[in-house]
Amino acid sequence: FRNDSDTTAAETVQTEKTADKDDSKDTAKTEKKTKETVQEKVTLADLKKKTPKNTEYSDDLATRMKPVHRAFPAEPDYEDTELINELGGTWDDELNDVYQTLMKKLTPSQQEELRAEQRKWIKERDAKLSESGDHFVNAALFYDLTMDRTYVLADLYDKVK
């Protein structure tokens, strides 16, 4: 083998290695973009249909909120309104936590979908609460609606993980 150029064999090998590295980087970038594009196309509805790999977040939520469940009166009446409001507030805090945690796991398009869904849920919740006008009924209804929505979001979080 004769090398008619001014480059040495070692320089030629080094040039080929550099080219191979550049090809590998380009391939990795393309694969990453493809993966991101596919992930962007997965809608919130698609995620909801998935079976969670585990229910760790939902299970932890149930464990954390067990004292709140226990504190809820078995047969609530008007005297329990303040307590039920406090317990509902605890659920509302938990709802906000799971919502923020979930938002961090979603793609930007999924975040927009969830934000719109959450706003719709809040409007529906508020409409149900305004129908009654009774403070006691509203406290219990707020507790139930907020608890249910928190579990829905926790379940969705388990599907995203």
Side-chain angles (χ1 to χ4, degrees), residues 129-141:
L129 293 173
S130 68
E131 286 175 9
S132 156
D134 182 284
H135 191 64
F136 167 71
V137 171
N138 284 349
L141 185 58

Side-chain angles (χ1 to χ4, degrees), residues 68-77 79-81 83-84 87 136:
V68 176
H69 285 299
R70 288 185 181 139
F72 194 89
E75 295 184 29
D77 61 25
E79 293 173 5
D80 299 314
T81 302
L83 170 64
I84 295 170
L87 299 174
F136 167 71

Side-chain angles (χ1 to χ4, degrees), residues 58 67 94 113 136 153 159:
S58 296
E94 193 66 36
E113 287 181 78
F136 167 71
L153 294 180
K159 292 175 180 180

Side-chain angles (χ1 to χ4, degrees), residues 60-149:
D60 288 348
L61 172 65
T63 300
R64 274 194 314 278
M65 298 305 282
K66 194 173 280 191
V68 176
H69 285 299
R70 288 185 181 139
F72 194 89
E75 295 184 29
D77 61 25
Y78 284 94
E79 293 173 5
D80 299 314
T81 302
E82 188 174 327
L83 170 64
I84 295 170
N85 275 328
E86 288 177 29
L87 299 174
T90 303
W91 273 111
D92 194 45
D93 291 343
E94 193 66 36
L95 173 70
N96 291 322
D97 288 346
V98 71
Y99 176 82
Q100 292 301 322
T101 302
L102 177 57
M103 289 292 277
K104 292 175 187 174
K105 294 285 187 183
L106 299 175
T107 65
S109 62
Q110 292 167 341
Q111 288 175 351
E112 285 301 314
E113 287 181 78
L114 181 61
R115 192 174 291 114
E117 183 181 288
Q118 189 68 5
R119 287 178 179 151
K120 180 181 175 194
W121 176 82
I122 289 169
K123 284 180 183 179
E124 290 171 355
R125 178 203 63 194
D126 291 349
K128 288 177 183 176
L129 293 173
S130 68
E131 286 175 9
S132 156
D134 182 284
H135 191 64
F136 167 71
V137 171
N138 284 349
L141 185 58
F142 180 85
Y143 176 95
D144 288 339
L145 293 172
T146 306
M147 176 185 64
D148 291 346
R149 180 66 180 166

Side-chain angles (χ1 to χ4, degrees), residues 1-54:
F1 172 74
R2 252 183 89 180
N3 184 357
D4 290 330
S5 72
D6 291 334
T7 59
T8 66
E11 290 172 330
T12 302
V13 169
Q14 184 59 37
T15 302
E16 289 175 5
K17 284 183 180 178
T18 302
D20 287 346
K21 283 183 184 177
D22 290 345
D23 288 346
S24 294
K25 286 179 185 177
D26 289 343
T27 301
K29 285 179 184 177
T30 302
E31 288 173 357
K32 184 177 180 184
K33 284 182 181 180
T34 302
K35 187 175 182 181
E36 288 172 357
T37 302
V38 169
Q39 189 177 10
E40 281 288 327
K41 292 181 180 181
V42 175
T43 66
L44 206 56
D46 295 334
L47 288 174
K48 289 177 181 180
K49 293 175 188 173
K50 283 178 59 176
T51 301
K53 294 178 184 172
N54 66 57

